[in-house]
């Protein structure tokens, strides 16, 4: 009971603080107005509040003080405040809901295009963006992002409905219950040692990867890893090899870093080494590959091709980025050695993420960097992203140590495999598209059109699916060179069976029409 009373009191203090800010704004607005003695007080108050709202001094959805509180603070009658609020309600500038009081209900009328036009008009009055700033701005459209979109059939999502929320919550509660004030200070920018050591052990057992925990950098995800690597290694015009097709976010980050992209096609064994050798005179600095499970086509790089790639890197004094996303799914039955484990020259940057295994909102990933890059990457971390919240790192460390991660991986694979089989069986009714690869290698599937389809037609279908609350990514967007293929990238694992069936019927209907 005492805890409840304490929380209520804290809420009362917070609300009153917000109200006092609001009253200060209103008083300031009242003073600015030319006082008209003939105007009633409620008219003056109405105009003052309206002015604050229109000038966005009180933002949209802001809670206004109660009529009683405002009347007491302004030393006016409550009737005056009620009349002022009634005028604002009539204009729909504020709204009133039972139990939640009065809220501001005013959005700026400027559309995105008008706002853009306004900004462009004033562009000359400000310093120019750097060439790198312009580059990131121009390439942001390449990134695959669909925040808030429907789970069906968004790629990159694990079965988030089976994540052990209670286990995680208990670990987090335990952390805050026993946390020491000394641990609330700054932590090492590349991550806390206990988590790094747990990841070392996890990778040793699951991927036969042996490394020093000091080589591990904790990040928020693969995009941050690529940003750090490109920032410490890439100068404008440096050559970077990328698989074609490739994850659009990979293409975007290197292009934004002003690298010269060398797209290399893939065959049944992975990236085409012969074509890479033909470009050796360009002295590429980096080759980015997804050997366990090529994105988006799901091809596994053969062991011989991995060895050839390492030999190419040695001859060209280049680095390999081994993006081993979803390796737990891709290697659950046949475990092909990672490129990192085969590397004897410390030329491989290994990237992994928990976002695609647990849930994206956790924002937690890692990479292993060659020893000569540790200091540079840490320096960049210090200057920019700083670190992932230590509380999350501590909980993730406990999640691994208590064997929860291994159990969750097992559950994820079982549930995802069942949902993939259901997805494929239901998708068979689709006459105009065929699933490209039915092996259980990834948490997404690629469906290709059975007849020649233009990129424009693909885009129209994706838009129609979006209107039907179905998310899909473009296969065309993954291709960098001129040889493109049309299709859809569909994530299936985050959708419960009943909803999955309903959504596929809608999808099939749209694609077949």
């Amino acid at each position: 009971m005492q805890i409840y009373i304490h929380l209520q009191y804290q809420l009362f203090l917070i609300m009153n603080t917000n109200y006092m800010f609001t009253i200060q704004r209103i008083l300031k607005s009242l003073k600015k107005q030319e006082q008209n003695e003939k105007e009633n007080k409620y008219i003056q108050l109405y105009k003052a509040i309206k002015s604050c709202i229109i000038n966005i001094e009180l933002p949209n959805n802001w809670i206004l003080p109660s009529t009683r509180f405002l009347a007491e603070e302004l030393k006016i009658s409550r009737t005056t405040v009620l009349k002022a609020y009634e005028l604002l309600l009539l204009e729909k500038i504020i709204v009133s809901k039972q139990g939640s009081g009065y809220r501001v209900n005013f959005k700026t009328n400027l559309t995105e295009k008008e706002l853009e036009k306004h900004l462009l008009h004033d562009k000359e009055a400000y310093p120019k963006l750097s060439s790198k700033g312009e580059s990131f701005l121009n390439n942001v459209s390449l990134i695959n992002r669909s925040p808030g979109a429907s789970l069906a059939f968004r790629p990159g999502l694990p079965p988030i409905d089976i994540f052990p929320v209670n286990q995680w919550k208990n670990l987090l509660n335990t952390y805050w219950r026993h946390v020491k004030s000394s641990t609330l200070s700054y932590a090492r920018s590349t991550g806390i040692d206990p988590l790094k050591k747990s990841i070392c052990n996890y990778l040793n057992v699951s991927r036969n990867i042996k490394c020093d925990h000091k080589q591990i950098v904790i990040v928020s995800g693969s995009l941050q890893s690529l940003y750090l690597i490109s920032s410490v290694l890439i100068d404008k015009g440096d050559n970077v090899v990328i698989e074609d097709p490739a994850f659009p976010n990979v293409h975007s980050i290197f292009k934004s870093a002003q690298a010269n992209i060398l797209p290399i096609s893939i065959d049944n064994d992975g990236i085409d080494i012969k074509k890479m050798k033909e470009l050796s005179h360009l002295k590429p600095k980096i080759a980015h590959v997804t050997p366990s499970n090529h994105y988006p086509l799901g091809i596994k790089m053969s062991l011989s091709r991995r060895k050839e790639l390492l030999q190419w890197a040695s001859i060209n004094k280049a680095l390999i980025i081994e993006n081993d996303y979803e390796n737990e799914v891709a290697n659950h039955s046949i475990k092909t050695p990672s490129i990192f484990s085969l590397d004897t020259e410390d030329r491989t940057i290994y990237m992994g993420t928990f976002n695609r295994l647990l849930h994206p909102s956790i924002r937690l990933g890692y990479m292993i960097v060659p020893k000569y890059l540790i200091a540079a990457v840490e320096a960049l971390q210090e200057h920019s992203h700083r670190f992932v919240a230590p509380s999350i790192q501590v909980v993730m460390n406990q999640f691994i140590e208590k064997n929860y991660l291994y159990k969750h991986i097992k559950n994820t694979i079982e549930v995802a495999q069942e949902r993939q089989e259901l997805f494929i069986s239901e998708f068979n009714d689709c006459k105009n598209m065929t699933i490209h690869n039915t092996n259980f290698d990834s948490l997404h599937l690629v469906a290709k059109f059975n007849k020649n389809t233009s990129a424009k037609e693909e885009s129209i279908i994706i838009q129609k699916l979006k209107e039907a609350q179905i998310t899909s990514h473009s296969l065309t967007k993954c291709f960098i060179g001129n040889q493109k293929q049309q299709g859809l990238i569909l994530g299936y694992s985050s959708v419960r069976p009943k909803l999955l069936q309903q959504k596929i019927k809608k999808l099939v209907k749209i694609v077949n029409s």
Side-chain angles (χ1 to χ4, degrees):
M1 187 65 184
Q2 286 182 336
I3 294 172
Y4 174 75
I5 293 169
H6 176 70
L7 288 172
Q8 288 289 90
Y9 177 66
Q10 290 298 319
L11 182 61
F12 170 77
L13 288 177
I14 292 166
M15 289 299 294
N16 279 356
T17 304
N18 287 345
Y19 285 173
M20 292 312 298
F21 283 133
T22 305
I23 289 163
Q24 286 170 12
R25 294 284 191 184
I26 293 169
L27 281 170
K28 189 178 177 182
S29 181
L30 278 167
K31 287 177 183 178
K32 281 183 179 179
Q33 288 187 53
E34 291 183 13
Q35 297 297 321
N36 186 342
E37 292 181 4
K38 292 181 180 180
E39 277 187 344
N40 290 318
K41 284 185 180 179
Y42 76 88
I43 296 290
Q44 293 175 18
L45 180 59
Y46 150 74
K47 286 183 176 179
I49 298 172
K50 182 176 179 179
S51 175
C52 288
I53 293 171
I54 290 172
N55 292 323
I56 321 177
E57 292 176 18
L58 298 178
N60 185 47
N61 214 35
W62 185 261
I63 300 174
L64 292 172
S66 67
T67 54
R68 189 182 302 279
F69 189 91
L70 187 55
E72 288 174 359
E73 291 297 321
L74 297 180
K75 295 180 172 53
I76 57 178
S77 72
R78 190 181 174 202
T79 304
T80 300
V81 179
L82 280 166
K83 283 184 175 180
Y85 275 14
E86 282 172 6
L87 288 174
L88 294 167
L89 285 167
L90 280 171
E91 290 192 34
K92 296 182 179 178
I93 292 174
I94 67 171
V95 291
S96 174
K97 289 184 180 178
Q98 191 173 1
S100 61
Y102 298 91
R103 286 180 180 268
V104 174
N105 180 42
F106 182 80
K107 295 179 182 178
T108 54
N109 293 322
L110 281 177
T111 63
E112 284 188 18
K113 286 186 177 179
E114 287 171 334
L115 184 60
E116 186 180 349
K117 186 179 179 182
H118 175 72
L119 290 171
L120 288 172
H121 178 71
D122 294 332
K123 197 174 180 182
E124 297 301 319
Y126 300 97
K128 286 179 115 181
L129 291 178
S130 68
S131 60
K132 188 163 280 191
E134 289 279 6
S135 184
F136 275 99
L137 183 62
N138 293 335
N139 294 311
V140 72
S141 60
L142 290 174
I143 293 180
N144 269 344
R145 281 282 186 268
S146 43
S150 169
L151 294 181
F153 293 108
R154 182 177 173 179
L157 287 177
I160 53 180
D161 56 300
I162 67 165
F163 178 73
V165 174
N166 287 333
Q167 287 179 349
W168 188 270
K169 187 166 63 175
N170 290 338
L171 291 173
L172 193 57
N173 288 340
T174 301
Y175 169 81
W176 286 113
R177 203 158 45 239
H178 300 291
V179 69
K180 296 178 180 178
S181 58
S182 58
T183 62
L184 299 178
S185 183
Y186 289 104
R188 194 176 184 89
S189 60
T190 54
I192 63 172
D193 281 350
L195 177 58
K196 290 183 177 188
K197 290 174 181 176
S198 286
I199 290 174
C200 277
N201 293 335
Y202 166 67
L203 292 175
N204 187 10
V205 172
S206 64
R207 299 292 284 126
N208 195 31
I209 287 175
K210 295 172 177 60
C211 68
D212 190 317
H213 76 276
K214 293 175 184 176
Q215 290 178 262
I216 289 183
V217 179
I218 305 299
V219 293
S220 62
S222 58
L223 204 58
Q224 188 189 347
S225 292
L226 292 171
Y227 176 82
L228 290 168
I229 293 303
S230 63
S231 295
V232 298
L233 284 173
I234 300 300
D235 288 316
K236 185 177 181 179
D238 281 344
N239 292 302
V240 173
V241 168
I242 295 178
E243 297 164 320
D244 192 16
F247 192 36
N249 294 10
V250 174
H251 181 201
S252 172
I253 199 77
F254 283 117
K255 193 173 180 183
S256 298
Q258 300 179 306
N260 181 39
I261 307 297
L262 304 177
I264 302 292
S265 60
I266 59 169
D267 57 29
N268 291 332
D269 285 322
I271 195 164
D272 192 329
I273 298 292
K274 287 182 181 178
K275 290 184 179 178
M276 287 178 68
K277 288 178 178 177
E278 290 171 6
L279 300 175
S280 291
H281 64 285
L282 297 175
K283 300 190 181 304
K285 271 190 174 180
I286 295 172
H288 179 281
V289 292
T290 50
S292 286
N293 171 32
H294 169 265
Y295 189 92
L297 300 180
I299 294 167
K300 292 178 183 290
M301 188 182 290
S302 66
L303 179 58
S304 59
R305 187 64 56 88
R306 295 176 194 224
K307 291 177 179 178
E308 285 182 82
L309 183 59
L310 281 166
Q311 187 180 26
W312 171 90
S314 178
I315 292 169
N316 289 277
K317 298 180 180 178
L319 293 180
I320 299 167
I321 296 178
E322 181 178 15
N323 193 336
D324 213 19
Y325 82 103
E326 292 183 6
N327 78 79
E328 292 84 359
V329 176
N331 296 290
H332 77 283
S333 55
I334 301 172
K335 296 188 182 295
T336 308
S338 66
I339 294 173
F340 188 96
S341 66
L342 298 168
D343 185 3
T344 58
E345 295 184 0
D346 201 20
R347 292 190 178 278
T348 306
I349 299 164
Y350 184 90
M351 284 172 43
T353 179
F354 294 115
N355 299 332
R356 282 175 172 259
L357 185 62
L358 305 181
H359 55 88
S361 67
I362 197 172
R363 304 318 309 151
L364 192 60
Y366 56 89
M367 64 174 169
I368 311 172
V369 299
K371 293 181 180 68
Y372 90 99
L373 281 181
I374 295 172
V377 170
E378 185 164 7
L380 185 57
Q381 283 277 67
E382 289 282 350
H383 282 90
S384 55
H385 307 86
R386 192 61 191 173
F387 51 72
V388 174
S391 57
I392 298 297
Q393 295 188 56
V394 170
V395 172
M396 188 68 223
N397 177 52
Q398 289 290 304
F399 196 76
I400 296 171
E401 284 189 347
K402 290 182 179 295
N403 207 36
Y404 294 159
L405 177 63
Y406 301 94
K407 290 176 182 177
H408 181 62
I409 290 170
K410 184 175 179 293
N411 292 338
T412 295
I413 290 171
E414 288 175 359
V415 169
Q417 198 158 14
E418 288 172 6
R419 291 178 184 182
Q420 191 219 41
E421 289 170 3
L422 178 61
F423 187 100
I424 292 170
S425 66
E426 294 289 329
F427 196 85
N428 285 336
D429 292 334
C430 189
K431 298 174 184 176
N432 293 336
M433 299 191 83
T434 304
I435 300 292
H436 163 71
N437 183 3
T438 56
N439 294 330
F440 180 64
D441 297 312
S442 177
L443 300 178
H444 73 260
L445 290 164
V446 173
K448 292 184 179 180
F449 293 100
N450 294 335
K451 60 179 181 179
N452 290 333
T453 306
S454 66
K456 185 178 180 181
E457 289 172 313
E458 178 200 72
S459 179
I460 290 169
I461 288 172
I462 289 173
Q463 182 57 37
K464 286 182 178 178
L465 290 172
K466 186 178 179 181
E467 290 166 3
Q469 300 297 305
I470 296 173
T471 303
S472 62
H473 287 172
S474 161
L475 178 59
T476 303
K477 193 175 177 181
C478 295
F479 285 86
I480 304 166
N482 296 324
Q483 298 296 320
K484 300 183 186 294
Q485 297 175 24
Q486 282 70 50
L488 302 177
I489 304 170
L490 302 161
Y492 60 84
S493 69
S494 64
V495 191
R496 289 186 175 95
K498 189 175 180 180
L499 181 61
L500 187 146
Q501 289 175 303
Q502 293 171 5
K503 290 288 185 177
I504 290 183
K505 286 177 182 176
K506 284 186 180 180
L507 183 150
V508 169
K509 187 177 179 181
I510 290 168
V511 172
N512 283 344
S513 61

